[in-house]
Amino acid sequence: MVLATVALVSLFPLYFTITTAFKSRVEFAKNQLGPPAAPVADNFEKVFGQPYFVKWILNSLILASVSVAVALVIAVLAAYAIARLRFRGRRILFYVIGGLMAVPVIVMIVPLYTMMVRLGLINTYFAPLIVYTGTMVPYMTFFLVGFFSQLPRETLEAGQIDGCTHAGLLRMIVVPLAAPALAAMAIVNFLWVWNELLISLVLLQQDDLRTLAVGLTVFRDRFSVNVPATAAGLVIAIIPTLTLYLIGQRYFVRGLTMGGVKGE
Amino acid sequence: MGRLLRSLRWSRPPSAAWLFLTPAVFMALLVFAYPILQILRASLLDRGRNQFVGLANYASLTDDPIAWQSIQNNFLLLAVIPVLIGSSILIASILFDHPRGWQIYRTLVFAPYVLSVVVVGIAFDQIYTGRGVLNTVLSGVGLDGFRREWLGDPHTALASVMAVIIWREVGFGVTLFLARLTTASTDLYDAARVDGAGWFAIMRHVTVPHLRPVIAVYAASTMIGMFSWVFGYIYILTRGGPGYSTYVSEYFIYQSAFNYDSLGSAAALASVLLGIVVVAVAFQFSGQRQMGVE
């Protein structure tokens, strides 16, 4: 009973958005709740006919994949050093990184905006790329440290005896062993950037440079009275998210719970 | 073997570690340290004259009813924490019994968390409007008296936003608690059942105590979230309105800095927010350490 209610409540907004996207405006006015009696695809045509809609998708894809890739490389190096090497200040560094994870973007966003204006990077990909990468690094590092310190010692020792340098160990042993954790981090963070609002809202203020998340808000204002067209835009935005979630669910759940639950 | 490893580690120059850390430290300085110093500095300056004014910006913040309203709303948002914890425990413990199709339910419950706040916000905005589905349903079941513009009415706007937050974020709590429950020994549950403990007793004496450390961490992180990660919900659902009834600190900072050219107040409130987060993180760490000890 409880579960059925929960499932119904979880699903309803999705159901509503998807069914609405296939209704004509006339039908939506009469029939809000039921499935579309005469499904139409006009709404999707209208959405793709909007200036820049495809560009917004492309912008989000580029920003998310590049920043996640760069941040992962930086985080892997840092996490390896913290988990596997001895140096002064190692513990403190680990706690500082953990603390940075919680610092909200709103605290930094004004100085970041000013900085990007001064550097002439505002309204270029570079501004959000730098900020996304920088904000993801502490998060990824924190979780990867946990994972790297659980790797079997024997394997790494064997590598060291074979004369591997740290760079070699990292590339030949650590990264392949950590592949599931890296996949988890990549998926979780890709979706974070894909869905992020504040940073891209502030740093990309030109219509053709917007990300899909910000674009949808522009789009919603433009179509405020046309609910089905707005719903069609939402459906398009949801598709990659849900696909990634369903394919990578295992990694996804793992990536999010690694920090909160010991031994996971 | 341990000694061998240690000697190998020490035989590397210590600079190897710092070489690996350089890119991460550089990014952290650029994106975190420098902006944080800048915002703290700006909170002590008069923007126009670029002069040190001490705590004047903080003082004018305390005279600003909108700032108070914002902070107060952040505190009101904390009300979602007990609801999230309660429903997460309930759903997680039901799923832990592995009823038929529990994996499907797990997937469904978590799905909203994957969707962006923008998508969720726009969908709920349409559900909440005067001619929206919620009111249609209410009329359908004879509750015409409850019809309203849910986000346009200052009495219900913030509560409606909270409902959206709970809807989207409960799946995360469920997942977290379910992961923790799988580490519980089944003996404990068997013993409780043998002793004739009912559902409620098991919940109270076995499930909740086992979850307690995770609950603490989850509560702390949700608290940080309600103070400093709700911008998206407000921006999409209400833009702080009607009036200022759903202003929160983040939205106040955003508006002050980018639309009202009052950097001093923005910087002062951002600094206060940073202070709150630092305290909350300290709590969270001490909670996690206790958890590690257990």
Side-chain angles (χ1 to χ4, degrees):
Chain A
M1 250 312 274
V2 180
L3 281 186
T5 317
V6 167
L8 198 70
V9 174
S10 300
L11 270 185
F12 179 74
L14 265 183
Y15 161 85
F16 170 73
T17 306
I18 294 170
T19 51
T20 304
F22 288 98
K23 289 174 189 170
S24 66
R25 286 179 73 179
V26 179
E27 187 184 349
F28 181 73
K30 288 180 298 192
N31 168 22
Q32 288 192 336
L33 273 175
V40 291
D42 303 10
N43 299 315
F44 292 92
E45 276 171 39
K46 196 168 282 166
V47 169
F48 279 113
Q50 283 299 302
Y52 309 128
F53 193 83
V54 179
K55 182 78 195 311
W56 290 340
I57 298 178
L58 217 64
N59 290 340
S60 285
L61 269 179
I62 293 171
L63 290 178
S65 19
V66 175
S67 60
V68 166
V70 176
L72 259 185
V73 172
I74 297 177
V76 163
L77 290 173
Y80 179 78
I82 295 175
R84 289 282 158 188
L85 303 176
R86 296 257 173 108
F87 57 92
R88 262 176 177 293
R90 183 171 146 268
R91 274 194 84 76
I92 295 172
L93 194 68
F94 182 63
Y95 279 114
V96 168
I97 286 172
L100 287 185
M101 268 166 49
V103 177
V105 172
I106 193 74
V107 170
M108 285 102 63
I109 195 71
V110 182
L112 283 171
Y113 173 79
T114 322
M115 180 168 96
M116 293 304 173
V117 170
R118 267 197 218 131
L119 294 174
L121 295 178
I122 213 78
N123 287 333
T124 69
Y125 282 151
F126 288 106
L129 278 179
I130 291 170
V131 177
Y132 283 137
T133 306
T135 38
M136 283 187 288
V137 163
Y139 176 79
M140 290 177 170
T141 308
F142 192 79
F143 288 119
L144 289 178
V145 166
F147 192 84
F148 286 175
S149 35
Q150 285 169 14
L151 291 179
R153 288 184 159 217
E154 296 74 21
T155 325
L156 289 177
E157 283 170 13
Q160 276 183 321
I161 291 163
D162 289 347
C164 272
T165 59
H166 283 302
L169 276 181
L170 200 55
R171 202 160 49 89
M172 315 282 278
I173 300 175
V174 176
V175 168
L177 279 179
L182 296 179
M185 283 294 106
I187 291 183
V188 170
N189 285 285
F190 183 93
L191 283 180
W192 179 71
V193 177
W194 181 266
N195 291 338
E196 202 279 336
L197 179 67
L198 180 59
I199 294 171
S200 48
L201 181 68
V202 170
L203 298 181
L204 298 172
Q205 306 200 347
Q206 224 165 276
D207 248 352
D208 62 325
L209 284 172
R210 300 210 182 275
T211 57
L212 184 59
V214 179
L216 282 175
T217 69
V218 174
F219 183 75
R220 188 252 312 246
D221 296 340
R222 205 179 289 159
F223 279 112
S224 53
V225 285
N226 191 342
V227 179
T230 312
L234 296 186
V235 169
I236 295 165
I238 292 173
I239 291 169
T241 327
L242 282 190
T243 315
L244 207 55
Y245 169 53
L246 292 176
I247 294 173
Q249 195 187 359
R250 205 161 47 88
Y251 296 124
F252 199 93
V253 169
R254 183 181 194 159
L256 281 170
T257 52
M258 264 197 306
V261 185
K262 268 259 155 97
E264 175 53 14
Chain B
M1 267 320 237
R3 194 183 302 157
L4 175 66
L5 186 68
R6 221 168 298 142
S7 69
L8 275 167
R9 275 174 173 168
W10 280 115
S11 69
R12 308 274 167 198
S15 57
W18 287 105
L19 197 67
F20 281 22
L21 287 167
T22 304
V25 171
F26 174 74
M27 289 310 288
L29 289 176
L30 189 70
V31 173
F32 288 94
Y34 172 77
I36 288 173
L37 287 177
Q38 282 296 317
I39 204 79
L40 292 174
R41 182 167 164 272
S43 79
L44 302 172
L45 290 179
D46 177 292
R47 193 191 188 181
R49 295 173 294 150
N50 208 18
Q51 228 170 35
F52 182 74
V53 290
L55 297 178
N57 286 324
Y58 293 88
S60 68
L61 200 62
T62 57
D63 292 335
D64 186 341
I66 304 170
W68 277 116
Q69 172 89 60
S70 306
I71 294 169
Q72 192 193 337
N73 283 338
N74 281 120
F75 275 99
L76 288 174
L77 286 178
L78 295 181
V80 304
I81 297 177
V83 180
L84 280 173
I85 291 177
S87 31
S88 299
I89 293 177
L90 182 66
I91 300 169
S93 65
I94 294 174
L95 289 179
F96 183 58
D97 285 337
H98 294 189
R100 266 169 70 93
W102 69 279
Q103 284 114 327
I104 297 171
Y105 287 114
R106 189 183 56 181
T107 304
L108 283 182
V109 167
F110 193 73
Y113 193 72
V114 183
L115 303 177
S116 83
V117 173
V118 175
V119 167
V120 169
I122 295 176
F124 269 94
D125 182 32
Q126 294 173 344
I127 291 171
Y128 278 142
T129 60
R131 280 167 299 143
V133 179
L134 181 56
N135 286 328
T136 311
V137 172
L138 284 174
S139 295
V141 295
L143 291 170
D144 264 313
F146 286 97
R147 288 184 66 106
R148 65 186 71 224
E149 283 276 351
W150 291 90
L151 294 169
D153 181 334
H155 299 292
T156 54
L158 194 65
S160 304
V161 172
M162 284 156 80
V164 178
I165 295 177
I166 293 167
W167 179 81
R168 179 166 174 272
E169 303 207 351
V170 74
F172 180 55
V174 172
T175 309
L176 209 58
F177 293 167
L178 199 56
R180 171 75 179 177
L181 282 180
T182 53
T183 67
S185 82
T186 48
D187 297 356
L188 220 53
Y189 280 91
D190 293 342
R193 278 193 201 99
V194 169
D195 287 349
W199 182 86
F200 189 75
I202 291 180
M203 180 65 105
R204 193 173 146 210
H205 297 292
V206 184
T207 306
V208 172
H210 183 68
L211 287 175
R212 186 157 291 144
V214 184
I215 293 174
V217 173
Y218 179 64
S221 68
T222 311
M223 196 195 114
I224 296 173
M226 290 308 109
F227 271 102
S228 53
W229 297 96
V230 290
F231 176 83
Y233 293 106
I234 299 298
Y235 183 82
I236 303 296
L237 287 166
T238 65
R239 307 249 163 147
Y244 299 99
S245 61
T246 58
Y247 254 64
V248 292
S249 306
E250 285 166 279
Y251 197 67
F252 180 92
I253 295 168
Y254 173 81
Q255 288 287 10
S256 304
F258 294 113
N259 290 330
Y260 297 133
D261 199 32
S262 98
L263 189 68
S265 333
L269 190 53
S271 307
V272 171
L273 209 54
L274 182 67
I276 293 175
V277 170
V278 168
V279 171
V281 168
F283 268 111
Q284 200 181 0
F285 274 152
S286 66
Q288 259 161 349
R289 193 171 308 157
Q290 277 169 10
M291 190 167 130
V293 169
E294 266 185 317

